[in-house]
Every structure is written in structure tokens, then in C-alpha cells.
Amino acid sequence: MHFDLNDLRLFVWAADEGSLTKAAAKQHLSLAAASARIKALEAQTDLPLLYREARGVRLSPPGQAFLHHARLMLRQVDQMRGDLQEYGGGLRGHLRVFANTTAVTDFLPEILPEFLADNPKVNIDLQEKPNADIARGVQDGRADIGIVAGQVDTLGLQSLHFSTDRLVLATAKNHPLAQRQKVAFVDTLDEDAVGMHHGSTLQNFLSQVTERLGKPLKLRIQLSSFDAMCRMIGAGVGVGIVPESAARRNQDAMNLALVELSDPWSVRERYILTRDQAALPGYAQSLIALLCAHYAQANKGLATDASPLI
């Protein structure tokens, strides 16, 4: 099948407006010309895409599927046009990164400024995604690099281990659980909880855990960053599950106690996913090297300055 982009836009407008007349006007076409273009689309697919009715048009079942793919195609074309315009303005690289919540909100904001300073003509499109969507995004080419943690189906992609993440329970220092050396996640579920925003990778994961346990989190508030979570936890709003790095960063300032979780899933290995790392442009490989070097240095610091959570 060979589709004209203008015809796809015409079809999308007709579906959105419920009117071929209005869609034709947006495309600066006569109604007869617009109708002929839609009929040509239907002839190519050999399916009725629109039902013509007295007050306009509506999608047929195959038309709904066609609309979904038409939107995707037009969105990709618009993205390609934008990317190429940036190259015309002197841009040398565009890097698309899909990453989980911890990466997007906790450690990439610390690492990316150095990378961007060293690569002034490279732009990064960083998107927070669930782990499963990250792997699919790299596999189908929507992302150049994926950053995941925990048990993830990597879909046959190349995976590079670069660090270990540990989740801990953070409480205010005067909270009863603050005196515990270790606690099971299930034993925290009677407490008021502070969580990440709906849709975050970590919050989705904890929801899956509580669903298996048959007991939900008692969420008092959901926030958009781990630092904000730590502030609320320190103020006594509730307890929360946070990455150890974020918890330690805020421990003194927010008056936090950190308690080790006994659940095996609290220790999560982090991986960088690529389709073919060797085929990535040099600037993409530089970002991967920077990530690995950052955590190699961090691990040396932990080895020489290990301290208990509390």
C-alpha cells in the first residue's frame, strides 16, 4: 500500500470532525475532491473506512484501526521533520533515551549536565517509561538507549550492567519503624504511605507487589520526585519506599531514618539496553561510558565509606 500524507491528514481530520465537509475545508479542497481521496484510500485497503450518514461521517471498525496507524505515521513524520530542521540549524546529534523513574528523577539529572556540556550540538529526548515499554521502545527504534532496573524481559536486546539499585524504607526518625534494623514490605502496609506519582515505574511496581499481597498501600500523597517524597516523610506524613541513593542524599537534611527491606526485590540490578551498541553514534557511546564511569567511581566511594542505613 502507498499512502499520500495529505490523504492521511484528510482522513484524520474527517474522523476528528465527524464531517468530510469540515475536513475538506481544512485541506483547502472541494467536497468532491475530498470524497474522491477518501474513496481512493478505501480502494487501496479494500475496506470501508467511513460510514456516510446524513449528518456527517463516522468510523467503521476497520476505519478505527486505520485511524490509529494514520496518527502514528503522521506523528513520526512530524518528529522526523523537527529532527531534520534541528540538524539544519547546526545540530549534530539527537539521542532518544527511555528510562525508568529512578533514572529520570534521581541520577540522570546529575550525569546529563556533564554530557551536554561536552556535547553542545547533541540534543537528548529523555522520556520516563515503565520497564517493559523501555525494552519495546528500544527494540522498535523509538529509543536509542534504554535504562531499566530489576527483572525485565530484554527482548533479546544487548544489555550492559552498570550499577546496583537498592530500595529502602524511609521514615521520620521518631517513627516506630525507625528502630527496626530490617523490615518486610508487607509489615509496612498498615502505615500511611508517601508515594511517587501515578504512572511512575516504581509506583507501578509497588502496586503489583501489593496486588499479589492482597493489601493496598495507604497512600496519603503522591509526588513527582524522590526529594519531595523525602521531605514529606521527614515531616511525618507517612513512610515511603525510595532508592537508597535518594534517601541517603536527604537523610540528614530531612531527618530521616532508613530501614533495610528484607524482600529480595528490593535489590535491583540496573542495565543499559541497546539494539547494537557498536552501531550507535559516538556521542551515544560516550553517554554509556559516562554512566558506567560515574557508577564505577561511586562504588569505590561506597567501598571506602560504608555506613549503616540508620
Side-chain angles (χ1 to χ4, degrees), residues 15-93:
D16 288 345
E17 299 287 346
S19 167
L20 192 53
T21 301
K22 292 181 180 179
K26 286 191 172 185
Q27 283 279 63
H28 305 290
L29 296 171
S30 67
L31 179 58
S35 180
R37 285 175 177 261
I38 296 297
K39 287 179 180 177
L41 286 178
E42 292 177 315
Q44 280 205 69
T45 61
D46 198 27
L47 291 166
L49 302 178
L50 294 174
Y51 293 135
R52 279 76 169 172
E53 299 177 337
R55 295 188 176 181
V57 295
R58 63 183 177 89
L59 291 168
S60 66
Q64 292 174 350
F66 188 86
L67 176 65
H68 168 73
H69 290 287
R71 288 191 196 281
L72 286 177
M73 292 169 67
L74 291 172
R75 190 177 301 123
Q76 288 176 334
V77 168
D78 289 341
Q79 182 178 351
M80 178 181 68
R81 182 179 294 112
D83 289 352
L84 292 177
Q85 286 174 347
E86 289 181 331
Y87 279 104
L91 188 72
R92 287 204 304 264

Coordinates of all heavy atoms in Angstrom, one line a residue, residues 15-93:
A15 N -12.2 12.1 10.6 CA -12.6 11.3 11.8 C -12.8 12.2 13.0 O -13.7 12.0 13.8 CB -11.5 10.2 12.0
D16 N -11.9 13.2 13.2 CA -12.0 14.0 14.4 C -13.2 15.0 14.3 O -13.8 15.2 15.3 CB -10.7 14.9 14.5 CG -9.5 14.1 14.9 OD1 -9.7 13.0 15.3 OD2 -8.3 14.6 14.7
E17 N -13.5 15.5 13.1 CA -14.6 16.4 13.0 C -15.9 15.7 12.8 O -17.0 16.3 13.0 CB -14.3 17.3 11.8 CG -13.1 18.2 11.9 CD -13.3 19.3 12.9 OE1 -14.4 19.6 13.3 OE2 -12.3 19.9 13.3
G18 N -15.9 14.4 12.4 CA -17.1 13.8 12.0 C -17.8 14.4 10.8 O -19.0 14.2 10.6
S19 N -17.0 15.0 10.0 CA -17.5 15.7 8.8 C -16.5 15.8 7.7 O -15.4 16.3 8.0 CB -17.9 17.1 9.2 OG -18.2 17.9 8.1
L20 N -16.8 15.3 6.6 CA -15.9 15.4 5.4 C -15.9 16.8 4.9 O -14.8 17.2 4.4 CB -16.4 14.4 4.3 CG -15.4 14.1 3.2 CD1 -14.0 13.7 3.7 CD2 -16.0 13.1 2.3
T21 N -17.0 17.5 5.0 CA -17.0 18.9 4.6 C -16.0 19.8 5.4 O -15.2 20.5 4.8 CB -18.4 19.5 4.8 OG1 -19.4 18.7 4.0 CG2 -18.5 21.0 4.3
K22 N -16.0 19.6 6.7 CA -15.0 20.4 7.5 C -13.6 20.0 7.2 O -12.7 20.8 7.2 CB -15.3 20.2 9.0 CG -16.7 20.9 9.4 CD -16.9 20.7 10.9 CE -18.2 21.3 11.3 NZ -18.5 21.1 12.8
A23 N -13.4 18.7 7.0 CA -12.0 18.2 6.7 C -11.5 18.7 5.4 O -10.4 19.1 5.2 CB -12.0 16.6 6.7
A24 N -12.4 18.8 4.4 CA -12.1 19.3 3.1 C -11.7 20.8 3.2 O -10.7 21.2 2.6 CB -13.3 19.1 2.1
A25 N -12.4 21.5 4.0 CA -12.1 22.9 4.2 C -10.7 23.1 4.8 O -10.0 24.0 4.4 CB -13.1 23.6 5.1
K26 N -10.3 22.3 5.7 CA -9.0 22.4 6.4 C -7.9 22.1 5.4 O -6.8 22.6 5.5 CB -8.9 21.4 7.5 CG -9.7 21.9 8.8 CD -9.3 21.0 10.0 CE -9.9 21.6 11.3 NZ -9.5 20.9 12.5
Q27 N -8.2 21.2 4.4 CA -7.2 20.8 3.4 C -7.3 21.7 2.1 O -6.6 21.5 1.2 CB -7.4 19.4 2.9 CG -6.9 18.3 3.9 CD -5.4 18.1 3.8 OE1 -4.6 19.1 4.0 NE2 -5.0 16.9 3.5
H28 N -8.2 22.7 2.2 CA -8.5 23.6 1.1 C -8.9 22.8 -0.2 O -8.3 23.1 -1.3 CB -7.2 24.5 0.8 CG -6.8 25.3 2.0 ND1 -7.5 26.3 2.5 CD2 -5.7 25.1 2.8 CE1 -6.9 26.8 3.6 NE2 -5.8 26.1 3.8
L29 N -9.8 21.9 0.0 CA -10.3 21.0 -1.1 C -11.8 21.2 -1.2 O -12.5 21.6 -0.3 CB -10.0 19.5 -0.8 CG -8.5 19.1 -0.7 CD1 -8.4 17.7 -0.2 CD2 -7.8 19.2 -2.1
S30 N -12.2 20.9 -2.4 CA -13.7 20.9 -2.6 C -14.2 19.6 -2.0 O -13.4 18.6 -1.8 CB -14.1 20.9 -4.1 OG -13.6 19.7 -4.7
L31 N -15.5 19.5 -1.7 CA -16.0 18.3 -1.0 C -15.9 17.1 -2.0 O -15.6 16.0 -1.6 CB -17.5 18.6 -0.7 CG -18.2 17.4 -0.1 CD1 -17.6 16.9 1.2 CD2 -19.7 17.7 0.2
A32 N -16.1 17.4 -3.3 CA -16.0 16.3 -4.3 C -14.6 15.7 -4.3 O -14.4 14.5 -4.4 CB -16.4 16.8 -5.7
A33 N -13.6 16.6 -4.3 CA -12.2 16.2 -4.3 C -11.8 15.4 -3.0 O -11.1 14.4 -3.1 CB -11.2 17.4 -4.5
A34 N -12.3 15.9 -1.9 CA -12.0 15.2 -0.6 C -12.7 13.8 -0.6 O -12.1 12.8 -0.2 CB -12.5 16.1 0.6
S35 N -13.9 13.8 -1.1 CA -14.6 12.5 -1.1 C -13.9 11.5 -2.0 O -13.7 10.3 -1.7 CB -16.0 12.7 -1.6 OG -16.7 11.5 -1.7
A36 N -13.3 12.0 -3.1 CA -12.6 11.1 -4.1 C -11.3 10.6 -3.4 O -10.9 9.4 -3.6 CB -12.3 11.9 -5.3
R37 N -10.7 11.4 -2.6 CA -9.4 11.0 -1.9 C -9.7 9.9 -0.9 O -9.0 8.9 -0.8 CB -8.7 12.2 -1.3 CG -8.0 13.1 -2.3 CD -7.5 14.3 -1.6 NE -6.7 15.2 -2.5 CZ -5.4 15.2 -2.6 NH1 -4.7 14.4 -1.9 NH2 -4.8 16.0 -3.5
I38 N -10.8 10.1 -0.2 CA -11.2 9.1 0.8 C -11.6 7.7 0.2 O -11.2 6.7 0.6 CB -12.3 9.6 1.7 CG1 -11.9 10.8 2.5 CG2 -12.8 8.4 2.7 CD1 -10.8 10.5 3.5
K39 N -12.3 7.8 -0.9 CA -12.6 6.6 -1.7 C -11.4 5.9 -2.2 O -11.3 4.7 -2.3 CB -13.6 7.0 -2.8 CG -15.0 7.3 -2.4 CD -15.9 7.7 -3.5 CE -17.3 8.0 -3.0 NZ -18.2 8.5 -4.2
A40 N -10.4 6.7 -2.6 CA -9.1 6.1 -3.1 C -8.4 5.3 -1.9 O -7.8 4.3 -2.2 CB -8.2 7.2 -3.6
L41 N -8.5 5.9 -0.7 CA -7.9 5.2 0.4 C -8.7 3.9 0.7 O -8.0 2.8 0.9 CB -8.0 6.1 1.7 CG -7.1 7.3 1.9 CD1 -7.4 8.0 3.2 CD2 -5.6 6.8 1.9
E42 N -10.0 3.9 0.6 CA -10.8 2.7 0.8 C -10.5 1.7 -0.3 O -10.5 0.5 0.0 CB -12.3 3.1 0.8 CG -12.6 3.9 2.1 CD -14.1 4.3 2.1 OE1 -14.6 4.8 1.1 OE2 -14.7 4.2 3.2
A43 N -10.2 2.2 -1.5 CA -9.9 1.2 -2.6 C -8.6 0.6 -2.4 O -8.4 -0.6 -2.6 CB -9.9 2.0 -3.9
Q44 N -7.6 1.3 -1.8 CA -6.3 0.7 -1.5 C -6.4 -0.4 -0.4 O -5.8 -1.4 -0.5 CB -5.3 1.8 -1.0 CG -4.7 2.6 -2.2 CD -3.4 3.1 -1.7 OE1 -2.4 2.4 -1.6 NE2 -3.3 4.4 -1.6
T45 N -7.2 -0.1 0.6 CA -7.4 -1.0 1.7 C -8.4 -2.1 1.4 O -8.4 -3.2 2.1 CB -7.8 -0.3 3.0 OG1 -9.1 0.3 2.8 CG2 -6.8 0.7 3.4
D46 N -9.2 -1.9 0.4 CA -10.3 -2.8 0.1 C -11.3 -3.0 1.2 O -11.8 -4.1 1.5 CB -9.8 -4.1 -0.4 CG -10.8 -4.9 -1.2 OD1 -11.7 -4.3 -1.8 OD2 -10.7 -6.2 -1.2
L47 N -11.5 -1.9 2.0 CA -12.3 -1.9 3.2 C -13.1 -0.6 3.3 O -12.5 0.5 2.9 CB -11.5 -2.1 4.5 CG -10.9 -3.5 4.7 CD1 -9.8 -3.4 5.8 CD2 -11.9 -4.6 5.0
P48 N -14.3 -0.6 3.8 CA -15.0 0.7 4.1 C -14.4 1.3 5.4 O -14.4 0.7 6.4 CB -16.4 0.3 4.3 CG -16.3 -1.1 4.8 CD -15.1 -1.7 4.2
L49 N -13.9 2.5 5.2 CA -13.2 3.2 6.4 C -14.2 4.2 7.1 O -14.0 4.4 8.3 CB -12.0 3.9 6.0 CG -10.9 3.1 5.3 CD1 -9.7 3.9 4.8 CD2 -10.4 2.0 6.2
L50 N -15.1 4.7 6.4 CA -16.1 5.7 6.9 C -17.5 5.3 6.5 O -17.7 4.8 5.4 CB -15.8 7.1 6.4 CG -14.5 7.8 6.9 CD1 -14.3 9.1 6.1 CD2 -14.4 8.0 8.4
Y51 N -18.4 5.5 7.5 CA -19.8 5.4 7.1 C -20.3 6.8 6.8 O -20.2 7.7 7.6 CB -20.6 4.8 8.3 CG -20.3 3.3 8.7 CD1 -20.1 2.9 10.0 CD2 -20.2 2.4 7.6 CE1 -19.8 1.6 10.3 CE2 -19.9 1.1 8.0 CZ -19.7 0.7 9.3 OH -19.4 -0.6 9.6
R52 N -20.9 6.9 5.6 CA -21.5 8.2 5.3 C -22.9 8.3 5.8 O -23.8 7.4 5.5 CB -21.5 8.4 3.7 CG -20.2 8.9 3.1 CD -19.2 7.8 3.0 NE -18.0 8.1 2.2 CZ -17.0 7.3 2.1 NH1 -16.9 6.1 2.8 NH2 -15.9 7.7 1.4
E53 N -23.2 9.3 6.6 CA -24.6 9.5 7.1 C -25.1 10.9 6.9 O -24.3 11.8 6.4 CB -24.5 9.2 8.7 CG -24.1 7.8 9.0 CD -23.9 7.6 10.5 OE1 -23.8 8.6 11.2 OE2 -24.0 6.4 10.9
A54 N -26.3 11.1 7.2 CA -27.0 12.4 6.8 C -26.3 13.6 7.5 O -26.2 14.7 6.9 CB -28.4 12.4 7.2
R55 N -25.8 13.4 8.7 CA -25.2 14.5 9.5 C -23.7 14.5 9.4 O -23.0 15.2 10.2 CB -25.7 14.5 10.9 CG -27.2 14.8 11.0 CD -27.6 14.9 12.4 NE -29.0 15.3 12.6 CZ -29.6 15.5 13.7 NH1 -28.9 15.4 14.9 NH2 -30.9 15.8 13.8
G56 N -23.1 13.6 8.6 CA -21.6 13.6 8.6 C -21.1 12.2 8.3 O -21.7 11.4 7.6
V57 N -19.9 11.9 8.9 CA -19.3 10.6 8.7 C -18.9 10.0 10.1 O -18.7 10.8 11.1 CB -18.1 10.6 7.8 CG1 -18.4 11.0 6.4 CG2 -17.0 11.6 8.4
R58 N -18.8 8.7 10.2 CA -18.3 8.1 11.4 C -17.5 6.9 11.0 O -17.6 6.3 9.9 CB -19.4 7.6 12.4 CG -20.4 6.6 11.8 CD -21.5 6.3 12.8 NE -22.4 5.3 12.3 CZ -22.3 4.0 12.4 NH1 -21.3 3.5 13.1 NH2 -23.2 3.2 11.9
L59 N -16.6 6.5 11.9 CA -15.6 5.5 11.6 C -16.2 4.1 11.6 O -17.0 3.8 12.5 CB -14.5 5.5 12.6 CG -13.5 6.7 12.6 CD1 -12.6 6.7 13.8 CD2 -12.6 6.6 11.3
S60 N -15.9 3.3 10.6 CA -16.2 1.9 10.6 C -15.2 1.2 11.5 O -14.1 1.7 11.9 CB -16.1 1.3 9.2 OG -14.8 1.3 8.8
P61 N -15.4 -0.1 11.9 CA -14.3 -0.8 12.7 C -13.0 -0.8 12.0 O -11.9 -0.5 12.7 CB -14.9 -2.2 12.9 CG -16.4 -2.0 12.9 CD -16.6 -0.9 11.9
P62 N -12.9 -1.2 10.7 CA -11.5 -1.1 10.1 C -11.0 0.4 10.0 O -9.8 0.6 10.0 CB -11.7 -1.7 8.7 CG -13.2 -1.7 8.5 CD -13.8 -1.8 9.8
G63 N -12.0 1.3 10.0 CA -11.6 2.7 10.0 C -10.9 3.2 11.3 O -10.0 4.0 11.3
Q64 N -11.4 2.6 12.4 CA -10.8 2.9 13.7 C -9.3 2.4 13.7 O -8.4 3.1 14.2 CB -11.6 2.3 14.8 CG -13.0 2.9 15.0 CD -13.8 2.1 16.0 OE1 -13.5 1.0 16.4 NE2 -15.0 2.7 16.3
A65 N -9.1 1.2 13.2 CA -7.7 0.7 13.2 C -6.9 1.6 12.2 O -5.7 1.9 12.5 CB -7.7 -0.8 12.7
F66 N -7.4 1.9 11.1 CA -6.7 2.8 10.1 C -6.3 4.1 10.8 O -5.2 4.6 10.6 CB -7.6 3.0 8.9 CG -6.8 3.6 7.7 CD1 -6.1 2.9 6.8 CD2 -6.9 5.0 7.6 CE1 -5.4 3.5 5.8 CE2 -6.2 5.7 6.5 CZ -5.5 4.9 5.6
L67 N -7.3 4.7 11.5 CA -7.0 6.0 12.2 C -5.9 5.9 13.1 O -5.0 6.8 13.2 CB -8.3 6.4 12.9 CG -8.2 7.7 13.7 CD1 -7.9 8.9 12.8 CD2 -9.4 8.0 14.6
H68 N -5.8 4.8 13.9 CA -4.7 4.6 14.9 C -3.4 4.6 14.1 O -2.4 5.4 14.5 CB -4.9 3.3 15.6 CG -3.7 2.9 16.4 ND1 -3.3 3.5 17.6 CD2 -2.8 1.9 16.1 CE1 -2.2 2.9 18.0 NE2 -1.8 1.9 17.2
H69 N -3.2 3.9 13.0 CA -2.0 3.8 12.3 C -1.7 5.1 11.6 O -0.5 5.5 11.4 CB -2.0 2.7 11.4 CG -1.9 1.3 12.0 ND1 -0.8 0.9 12.7 CD2 -2.9 0.4 12.3 CE1 -1.1 -0.3 13.2 NE2 -2.3 -0.6 13.0
A70 N -2.7 5.8 11.1 CA -2.5 7.1 10.4 C -2.0 8.1 11.3 O -1.0 8.9 11.0 CB -3.9 7.6 9.8
R71 N -2.5 8.1 12.6 CA -1.9 9.1 13.6 C -0.5 8.8 13.8 O 0.4 9.7 13.9 CB -2.7 9.0 14.9 CG -4.1 9.6 14.8 CD -4.7 9.6 16.2 NE -6.1 9.8 16.3 CZ -6.8 11.0 16.1 NH1 -6.1 12.0 15.8 NH2 -8.1 11.0 16.2
L72 N -0.1 7.5 14.0 CA 1.3 7.2 14.3 C 2.2 7.6 13.2 O 3.3 8.2 13.4 CB 1.4 5.6 14.5 CG 0.8 5.1 15.8 CD1 1.0 3.6 15.8 CD2 1.6 5.7 17.0
M73 N 1.7 7.3 11.9 CA 2.6 7.7 10.8 C 2.8 9.2 10.7 O 3.9 9.7 10.4 CB 1.9 7.2 9.5 CG 1.9 5.6 9.4 SD 0.9 5.0 8.0 CE 1.8 5.6 6.6
L74 N 1.7 10.0 10.9 CA 1.8 11.4 10.8 C 2.7 12.0 11.9 O 3.5 12.9 11.8 CB 0.4 12.1 10.8 CG -0.4 11.8 9.6 CD1 -1.9 12.3 9.8 CD2 0.2 12.5 8.4
R75 N 2.6 11.4 13.1 CA 3.4 11.8 14.3 C 4.9 11.6 14.0 O 5.7 12.4 14.3 CB 2.9 11.1 15.5 CG 3.6 11.6 16.8 CD 3.0 10.9 18.0 NE 1.6 11.0 18.1 CZ 0.7 10.0 18.2 NH1 1.2 8.8 18.2 NH2 -0.5 10.2 18.3
Q76 N 5.2 10.4 13.4 CA 6.6 10.1 13.1 C 7.1 11.0 12.0 O 8.3 11.4 12.1 CB 6.7 8.6 12.6 CG 6.5 7.6 13.8 CD 6.5 6.2 13.3 OE1 6.2 5.9 12.2 NE2 6.9 5.3 14.2
V77 N 6.3 11.3 11.0 CA 6.7 12.3 10.0 C 7.0 13.7 10.6 O 8.0 14.3 10.3 CB 5.7 12.4 8.9 CG1 6.0 13.5 8.0 CG2 5.7 11.1 8.1
D78 N 6.1 14.1 11.5 CA 6.4 15.4 12.1 C 7.6 15.4 13.0 O 8.4 16.4 13.0 CB 5.1 15.8 13.0 CG 3.9 16.1 12.2 OD1 4.1 16.4 11.0 OD2 2.8 16.1 12.7
Q79 N 7.9 14.3 13.7 CA 9.1 14.2 14.5 C 10.3 14.2 13.6 O 11.3 14.8 13.9 CB 9.0 12.9 15.4 CG 10.3 12.7 16.3 CD 10.2 11.5 17.1 OE1 9.2 10.8 17.2 NE2 11.3 11.2 17.8
M80 N 10.2 13.5 12.5 CA 11.4 13.4 11.6 C 11.6 14.8 11.0 O 12.8 15.3 11.0 CB 11.1 12.5 10.4 CG 12.2 12.4 9.4 SD 11.8 11.3 8.0 CE 10.4 12.2 7.2
R81 N 10.6 15.6 10.7 CA 10.8 16.9 10.1 C 11.4 17.8 11.2 O 12.4 18.6 10.9 CB 9.4 17.5 9.7 CG 9.5 18.9 9.1 CD 8.1 19.4 8.7 NE 7.6 18.6 7.6 CZ 6.5 17.8 7.7 NH1 5.9 17.7 8.9 NH2 6.0 17.2 6.7
G82 N 11.0 17.7 12.4 CA 11.6 18.5 13.5 C 13.0 18.2 13.7 O 13.9 19.1 13.9
D83 N 13.3 16.9 13.7 CA 14.7 16.5 13.9 C 15.6 17.0 12.8 O 16.7 17.5 13.1 CB 14.8 15.0 14.0 CG 14.3 14.4 15.3 OD1 13.9 15.2 16.2 OD2 14.2 13.1 15.4
L84 N 15.2 16.9 11.6 CA 16.0 17.3 10.4 C 16.2 18.8 10.4 O 17.2 19.3 10.0 CB 15.3 16.8 9.1 CG 15.4 15.3 8.9 CD1 14.7 14.9 7.6 CD2 16.8 14.8 8.9
Q85 N 15.1 19.6 10.9 CA 15.3 21.0 10.9 C 16.4 21.4 12.0 O 17.1 22.3 11.8 CB 13.9 21.6 11.3 CG 12.9 21.7 10.2 CD 11.5 22.2 10.7 OE1 11.3 22.3 11.9 NE2 10.7 22.4 9.7
E86 N 16.4 20.6 13.1 CA 17.5 20.9 14.0 C 18.9 20.6 13.5 O 19.8 21.4 13.7 CB 17.3 20.0 15.3 CG 16.0 20.5 16.1 CD 15.9 19.6 17.3 OE1 16.2 18.4 17.3 OE2 15.3 20.1 18.3
Y87 N 19.0 19.6 12.7 CA 20.3 19.3 12.0 C 20.6 20.4 11.1 O 21.8 20.8 11.0 CB 20.2 18.0 11.2 CG 20.4 16.8 12.1 CD1 19.3 16.0 12.4 CD2 21.6 16.4 12.5 CE1 19.4 14.8 13.2 CE2 21.8 15.3 13.3 CZ 20.7 14.5 13.6 OH 20.9 13.4 14.4
G88 N 19.6 21.0 10.4 CA 19.9 22.1 9.5 C 20.4 23.4 10.3 O 21.1 24.2 9.7
G89 N 20.0 23.4 11.6 CA 20.5 24.6 12.4 C 21.8 24.3 13.0 O 22.2 25.1 13.9
G90 N 22.5 23.3 12.7 CA 23.8 23.0 13.2 C 23.9 21.9 14.2 O 25.0 21.5 14.7
L91 N 22.8 21.2 14.5 CA 22.7 20.1 15.4 C 23.5 18.9 14.8 O 23.3 18.6 13.6 CB 21.3 19.7 15.7 CG 21.1 18.6 16.8 CD1 21.5 19.2 18.2 CD2 19.7 18.1 16.8
R92 N 24.3 18.2 15.5 CA 25.0 17.0 15.0 C 24.4 15.7 15.5 O 24.8 14.7 15.0 CB 26.5 17.2 15.3 CG 27.2 18.2 14.5 CD 28.7 17.9 14.5 NE 29.3 17.8 15.8 CZ 29.9 18.8 16.4 NH1 30.0 20.0 15.9 NH2 30.4 18.6 17.6
G93 N 23.6 15.8 16.5 CA 23.1 14.5 17.1 C 21.8 14.7 17.9 O 21.6 15.7 18.5

